[in-house]
Amino acid sequence: MTYKGSIKRILFYQFISMMIFNLAHPVTPALIKELSYPDYAFGILFATMSLLSFVTAPLWGQLADKIGHKKVLFIGPFGSALGQLGFGLSTHLGLTIFFRAFTGAFSMATVSVSLVYLAAVSSEEDKKKNLAYSAALTGIGSMLGYLLGGLIGEQKYQYTFFAQVGLLLLLPILVLFCIQQLKDNEHTSAAAVSFRIIIDKVSLYIVQPMGKVFIYTFLLTFGYTLYTNTIPYYLVTIWNMPSSFVGYFMTFSGFLNLIANMVLLPMFLKKFSPTKILFVESLILSLSLFCFVGFKDIRIIIPTLTIYLTFLAMYKPLNQMIISVSTRNDQGVIFGIMNSFNALGMILGGLLSGFAFELSYNLPFILAAIIFGITGCLVFLFKKREKIPKKSCQLR
């Protein structure tokens, strides 16, 4: 398989897998309403899924480094299918939460490891470009999943879950045709996959320059989740929109994601570093979301929300770029750790979104705006600290 062929196949796989994984999101509010679960349940369900993602992401990355990416990518969808089947058929809140967590544990075998694989097969000069393509395609795939899931579940939400389970069971076949095993990571070590190794790696890398990227990832995902986990429920319960409208709205978001990562981000990267773009992006996200909450005029809401959704799409590839150019070894573990920080933000964002919505339907958006602002301040402070030693040396 040629280099370009490997890149195209893994990007296609990421696109398809993210479309399948997001089919059930637009019908989850309908599930909660039909089963008469409390409003905060949408936050609990998302948080439990994210909790298991947080715990298992580095384990899957470590396992992929040892037995091979292809084997892990083949295994993951089977567990996800079982989890989503139970999630869609459960009628008791406890069982619904359990199966949501089960899905979270296995989803990282696909999401995290496919990203590691892309970084591993990319040449150094193409990494930034390929990660930007990945972000754009997975974003579009996610939003198409929202659209299809909403349309399929228009009459009965269970139909969407059945479709998702069937497609998940077909995903391993795609692995066989699209993914080629990397020769340099087959059986790299006989040591067992363990949390002890992961804790040691976290302790090692958190104090290095890439440690700040883990912090950015956590905060930005925290704010991102407060918004994205609330908006479907907000549209259904506050604006009284059907599940299909949620799909249309998220598809519009996906279109903006495509523009951001295929057009705007490459253009920005020609003139600015990923860190500078991340700083400006964080401030724009904060200001635009405050405007979305503060103004009631639709002529202001639409453009500010459009700006927000466009820049929201950039934070993941920017963080991935900073990480990928900072390390050559342990990429499976490092990307797994980053995905754990990502999942930690999803856990807290998911929990807080549900309980904050109970207090005020605008509160999750306000909190997200504050967190984005804090992130921008931290990016500025960390960047300023990096320059201080250089100035001190010049004075001497």
Side-chain angles (χ1 to χ4, degrees):
M1 189 183 296
T2 63
Y3 168 71
K4 288 185 178 180
S6 297
I7 297 298
K8 289 179 180 178
R9 283 173 170 81
I10 185 60
L11 289 174
F12 176 72
Y13 174 79
Q14 287 184 313
F15 167 76
I16 294 295
S17 61
M18 290 307 296
M19 182 183 70
I20 297 171
F21 273 104
N22 283 277
L23 283 171
H25 288 315
V27 298
T28 299
L31 178 150
I32 294 171
K33 287 183 68 176
E34 185 167 319
L35 298 177
S36 300
Y37 292 160
D39 285 339
Y40 61 79
F42 80 88
I44 296 289
L45 290 170
F46 192 86
T48 52
M49 177 192 71
S50 303
L51 175 61
L52 269 294
S53 297
F54 167 73
V55 172
T56 59
L59 289 175
W60 288 118
Q62 190 183 149
L63 184 63
D65 281 341
K66 295 182 181 302
I67 70 170
H69 301 79
K70 186 171 184 175
K71 293 176 183 177
V72 174
L73 290 172
F74 185 84
I75 295 168
F78 291 107
S80 297
L82 180 59
Q84 286 303 95
L85 181 62
F87 179 45
L89 296 179
S90 298
T91 56
H92 184 274
L93 183 57
L95 279 176
T96 305
I97 292 173
F98 169 79
F99 281 111
R100 199 73 178 111
F102 192 91
T103 299
F106 279 88
S107 65
M108 282 297 104
T110 298
V111 177
S112 180
V113 174
S114 65
L115 183 62
V116 177
Y117 183 91
L118 175 63
V121 298
S122 297
S123 63
E124 290 301 317
E125 59 270 21
D126 287 343
K127 270 189 180 180
K128 289 183 180 180
K129 179 180 68 175
N130 290 340
L131 289 169
Y133 288 159
S134 172
L137 289 172
T138 54
I140 291 294
S142 298
M143 301 319 160
L144 282 176
Y146 267 93
L147 175 62
L148 294 174
L151 292 173
I152 294 170
E154 187 72 41
Q155 301 300 321
K156 195 173 183 180
Y157 72 82
Q158 287 93 341
Y159 294 159
T160 297
F161 285 99
F162 294 148
Q164 185 182 40
V165 169
L167 290 171
L168 281 169
L169 292 175
L170 293 176
L171 203 53
I173 299 176
L174 195 60
V175 172
L176 294 177
F177 289 99
C178 288
I179 308 301
Q180 185 178 31
Q181 180 60 56
L182 300 180
K183 295 179 181 179
D184 60 354
N185 76 340
E186 287 183 332
H187 313 298
T188 56
S189 173
V193 175
S194 71
F195 284 106
R196 179 70 256 174
I197 296 174
I198 293 167
I199 292 171
D200 290 341
K201 294 292 185 181
V202 172
S203 301
L204 172 65
Y205 291 119
I206 195 68
V207 295
Q208 294 185 16
M210 71 179 68
K212 64 181 181 291
V213 185
F214 298 150
I215 298 173
Y216 302 156
T217 298
F218 163 69
L219 289 173
L220 288 166
T221 304
F222 192 179
Y224 172 89
T225 305
L226 279 167
Y227 164 80
T228 55
N229 198 44
T230 302
I231 196 68
Y233 199 72
Y234 177 90
L235 294 173
V236 171
T237 59
I238 304 301
W239 286 9
N240 294 315
M241 294 296 178
S243 297
S244 56
F245 180 82
V246 177
Y248 295 137
F249 179 83
M250 299 308 289
T251 302
F252 172 68
S253 301
F255 174 72
L256 296 177
N257 182 298
L258 180 65
I259 293 175
N261 287 299
M262 299 293 282
V263 180
L264 296 180
L265 186 55
M267 183 174 65
F268 293 157
L269 286 168
K270 291 180 180 178
K271 297 183 178 181
F272 308 103
S273 68
T275 303
K276 287 182 179 179
I277 300 172
L278 193 65
F279 166 68
V280 175
E281 179 203 28
S282 300
L283 297 184
I284 290 175
L285 290 175
S286 179
L287 291 173
S288 58
L289 203 52
F290 271 127
C291 290
F292 170 69
V293 172
F295 293 95
K296 304 300 180 184
D297 191 334
I298 195 69
R299 292 172 296 180
I300 298 176
I301 290 176
I302 290 178
T304 54
L305 188 59
T306 300
I307 292 171
Y308 170 79
L309 292 171
T310 301
F311 279 86
L312 187 65
M314 297 183 191
Y315 89 88
K316 286 185 179 180
L318 287 171
N319 281 341
Q320 292 163 6
M321 288 172 195
I322 298 171
I323 285 287
S324 66
V325 298
S326 301
T327 181
R328 293 178 182 272
N329 300 317
D330 294 327
Q331 285 200 351
V333 176
I334 291 169
F335 272 93
I337 292 170
M338 188 178 74
N339 275 291
S340 282
F341 276 88
N342 183 69
L344 184 59
M346 292 167 66
I347 295 167
L348 296 179
L351 279 174
L352 191 57
S353 63
F355 290 111
F357 190 88
E358 287 272 335
L359 297 175
S360 170
Y361 58 79
N362 277 327
L363 186 56
F365 305 126
I366 295 172
L367 293 173
I370 293 171
I371 291 168
F372 289 136
I374 292 172
T375 306
C377 293
L378 286 177
V379 174
F380 177 78
L381 290 174
F382 283 139
K383 192 66 179 175
K384 192 174 182 181
R385 281 185 180 182
E386 290 176 3
K387 295 180 180 179
I388 290 175
K390 295 179 183 179
K391 292 181 179 179
S392 299
C393 291
Q394 290 172 358
L395 288 173
R396 291 177 184 176

